[in-house]
């Protein structure tokens, strides 16, 4: 049993130190973690494409997922992808969406889809599906996405590195770089930065729009090509793959024994968005989309993944789109066209409260090699 607990101050503030304690009967560890809560963002400007087509996207997502999860090309996930505990079929699922079932590991508390499309089907989907990259390859929002999404992430990650080592990282490798927004943000801050991406449309967009190439390779097998980088980042990546531990392990090996940092951003189970989607499970297009997010992390499961990959957690950041999720689901359920217009200016204030209460649907951990 992996047991995590935390000591937090009563005072509500967006930046604070917490103590996290790990106990699995063999190992006991204690981490002083620098925690950031919230991230300002103009979400409606960013999600232009999604808002314009929300109803159509619900239908397309529901149909494609329902078809895929009823197909013959499926694989049972027999072990927890994080701690390898056997999946217990007697424990009922915690969420059903489009005929897919999320289960929760009783040991590390990781949430995962119990029966998933085969690795070949998943690889084919991400390598060729332009629809999936559409919101990231929308030229109208590319600059806003660099400024409002990628740049704050780059600044946060660099700041965590700076606090640890008293200098900026020399180089950054972004794994699952999408259309290159984060790499571009790091470059604009003067760092050497590169990315790995298997999606052809993502790589093409990056080359055309930002003017540089992303590497196309299997990072878990070819990580040695990148062993000179001192910061490795995974933004919204490891929840998509059947073996998230292999991704983190490769990142950990790159920074082993040097002043390095591994940063991973994932969807978070214990969030307000999860509660909203529990009530509107027939119109899910993000967060608990069982094709995109075959893994959904808890603080416990991501922290366990870091410990098991010899990474000491130094920082955590919580933020999300929970308020946006509520407003869009209400707008879909009550389509009078006024809900988004009426409520959109309130979304940032709602989200701020949600983040301060740590009910955010996204989290980022940063960890340094425990060998240091
Ligand atoms: Zn587990």
């Amino acid at each position: 049993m992996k047991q995590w607990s935390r000591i937090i101050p009563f005072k509500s503030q967006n930046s604070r130190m917490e103590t996290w304690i790990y106990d699995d009967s063999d190992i006991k560890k204690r981490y002083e973690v620098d925690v950031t809560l919230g991230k300002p963002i103009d979400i409606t400007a960013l999600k232009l494409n999604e808002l314009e087509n929300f109803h159509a996207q619900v239908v397309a997502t529901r149909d494609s997922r329902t078809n895929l999860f009823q197909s013959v090309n499926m694989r049972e996930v027999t072990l927890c992808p994080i701690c390898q505990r056997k999946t217990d079929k007697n424990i009922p699922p915690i969420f059903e969406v489009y005929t897919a079932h999320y289960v929760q590991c009783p040991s590390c508390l990781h949430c995962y889809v119990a029966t998933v499309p085969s690795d070949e089907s998943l690889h084919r989907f991400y390598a060729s599906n332009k629809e999936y990259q559409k919101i990231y390859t929308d030229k109208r929002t590319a600059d806003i996405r660099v400024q409002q999404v990628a740049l704050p992430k780059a600044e946060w990650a660099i700041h965590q590195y700076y606090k640890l080592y008293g200098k900026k990282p020399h180089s950054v490798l972004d794994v699952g770089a999408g259309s290159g927004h984060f790499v571009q943000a790091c470059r604009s801050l003067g760092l050497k930065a590169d990315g790995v991406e298997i999606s052809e449309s993502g790589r093409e967009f990056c080359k055309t729009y930002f003017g540089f190439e992303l590497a196309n390779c299997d990072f878990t097998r070819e990580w040695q090509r990148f062993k000179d980088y001192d910061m490795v980042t995974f933004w919204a990546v490891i929840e998509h793959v059947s073996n998230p531990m292999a991704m983190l392990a490769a990142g950990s090996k790159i920074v082993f024994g040097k002043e390095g940092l591994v940063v991973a951003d994932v969807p978070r189970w214990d969030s307000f968005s999860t509660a909203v989607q529990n009530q509107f499970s027939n119109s899910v297009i993000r967060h608990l989309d069982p094709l995109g997010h075959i893994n959904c992390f808890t603080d416990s499961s991501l922290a366990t993944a870091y410990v098991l990959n010899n990474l000491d957690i130094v920082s955590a950041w919580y933020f999300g789109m929970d308020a946006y999720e509520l407003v869009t689901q209400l707008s879909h359920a009550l389509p009078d066209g006024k809900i988004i217009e009426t409520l959109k200016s309130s979304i940032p204030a709602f989200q701020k409260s949600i983040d301060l209460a740590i009910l955010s649907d996204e989290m980022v951990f940063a960890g340094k090699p425990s060998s240091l």
Side-chain angles (χ1 to χ4, degrees):
M1 195 77 175
K2 323 282 181 201
Q3 296 260 27
W4 282 92
S5 53
R6 71 206 297 172
I7 301 169
I8 62 173
F10 274 27
K11 191 179 176 197
S12 181
Q13 50 196 354
N14 61 7
S15 175
R16 66 193 187 199
M17 290 305 294
E18 296 184 4
T19 303
W20 293 11
I21 300 152
Y22 177 69
D23 185 350
D24 80 348
S25 69
D26 294 331
I27 315 170
K28 283 187 178 53
K29 287 197 167 217
R30 220 179 144 91
Y31 304 96
E32 298 307 316
V33 183
D34 194 334
V35 175
T36 311
L37 303 174
K39 175 162 73 71
I41 186 171
D42 180 2
I43 195 70
T44 47
L46 192 68
K47 289 280 177 180
L48 204 57
N49 177 296
E50 193 169 289
L51 281 175
E52 280 169 359
N53 304 301
F54 193 83
H55 301 280
Q57 281 200 48
V58 165
V59 175
T61 306
R62 186 194 299 142
D63 287 354
S64 74
R65 280 31 168 191
T66 307
N67 283 335
L68 196 68
F69 279 86
Q70 287 174 333
S71 79
V72 285
N73 241 343
M74 301 295 284
R75 178 178 64 82
E76 267 188 47
V77 182
T78 54
L79 302 173
C80 166
I82 301 302
C83 75
Q84 308 296 308
R85 183 184 166 121
K86 204 162 179 277
T87 304
D88 185 347
K89 288 183 180 169
N90 295 318
I91 299 176
I94 47 172
F95 184 54
E96 180 177 347
V97 52
Y98 307 144
T99 75
H101 293 99
Y102 280 92
V103 294
Q104 183 164 36
C105 170
S107 180
C108 74
L109 307 182
H110 189 58
C111 301
Y112 55 100
V113 178
T115 305
V116 296
S118 66
D119 279 357
E120 299 80 58
S121 324
L122 281 178
H123 189 274
R124 210 178 313 123
F125 178 82
Y126 287 120
S128 63
N129 194 305
K130 288 199 169 74
E131 197 60 36
Y132 196 79
Q133 279 288 333
K134 207 166 168 182
I135 54 171
Y136 305 107
T137 54
D138 186 337
K139 287 192 174 67
R140 294 175 301 172
T141 56
D143 293 336
I144 303 172
R145 190 164 280 279
V146 170
Q147 288 299 320
Q148 291 205 14
V149 181
L151 205 55
K153 287 176 174 172
E155 284 166 345
W156 182 87
I158 292 163
H159 184 57
Q160 306 316 311
Y161 188 97
Y162 189 86
K163 276 190 303 188
L164 269 180
Y165 304 118
K167 61 182 180 186
K168 284 185 181 180
H170 176 253
S171 53
V172 180
L173 179 72
D174 189 31
V175 182
S179 303
H181 299 81
F182 180 77
V183 176
Q184 171 66 19
C186 289
R187 289 183 174 204
S188 76
L189 294 170
L191 299 181
K192 171 179 157 55
D194 292 291
V196 178
E197 177 54 54
I198 62 164
S199 155
E200 194 182 332
S201 59
R203 290 197 311 274
E204 268 173 27
F205 180 90
C206 184
K207 196 176 169 193
T208 314
Y209 197 81
F210 296 127
F212 58 85
E213 305 252 7
L214 300 168
N216 176 23
C217 69
D218 181 343
F219 174 68
T220 57
R221 293 203 180 123
E222 299 175 53
W223 62 270
Q224 281 179 310
R225 278 174 58 180
F226 308 101
K227 63 182 191 315
D228 292 336
Y229 290 84
D230 36 39
M231 184 153 80
V232 182
T233 59
F234 302 92
W235 298 101
V237 173
I238 61 172
E239 64 270 31
H240 297 277
V241 298
S242 57
N243 192 350
M245 291 297 270
M247 296 283 251
L248 284 177
S252 178
K253 281 185 242 175
I254 286 175
V255 300
F256 179 79
K258 64 181 170 195
E259 292 183 337
L261 197 65
V262 173
V263 174
D265 159 83
V266 295
R268 183 162 178 266
W269 182 268
D270 296 307
S271 62
F272 188 64
S273 282
T274 296
V276 172
Q277 295 195 345
N278 255 302
Q279 299 305 307
F280 298 99
S281 61
N282 207 30
S283 47
V284 167
I285 64 168
R286 56 171 293 277
H287 190 52
L288 300 180
D289 170 359
L291 173 63
H293 295 174
I294 56 176
N295 294 282
C296 189
F297 288 75
T298 60
D299 297 31
S300 164
S301 72
L302 186 59
T304 302
Y306 268 68
V307 173
L308 297 180
N309 281 305
N310 304 312
L311 294 164
D312 287 350
I313 301 154
V314 292
S315 315
W317 186 13
Y318 296 86
F319 55 87
M321 299 199 350
D322 309 81
Y324 168 88
E325 180 67 32
L326 178 65
V327 170
T328 50
Q329 290 296 349
L330 288 176
S331 172
H332 180 70
L334 308 163
D336 70 352
K338 291 183 190 148
I339 289 175
I340 288 176
E341 270 317 299
T342 311
L343 290 177
K344 75 178 182 189
S345 62
S346 305
I347 290 177
F350 291 160
Q351 190 63 46
K352 190 178 172 189
S353 290
I354 290 168
D355 293 337
L356 285 175
I358 327 183
L359 284 171
S360 328
D361 66 17
E362 192 169 343
M363 63 181 164
V364 189
F365 286 6
K368 68 179 174 68
S370 50
S371 54
L372 273 192

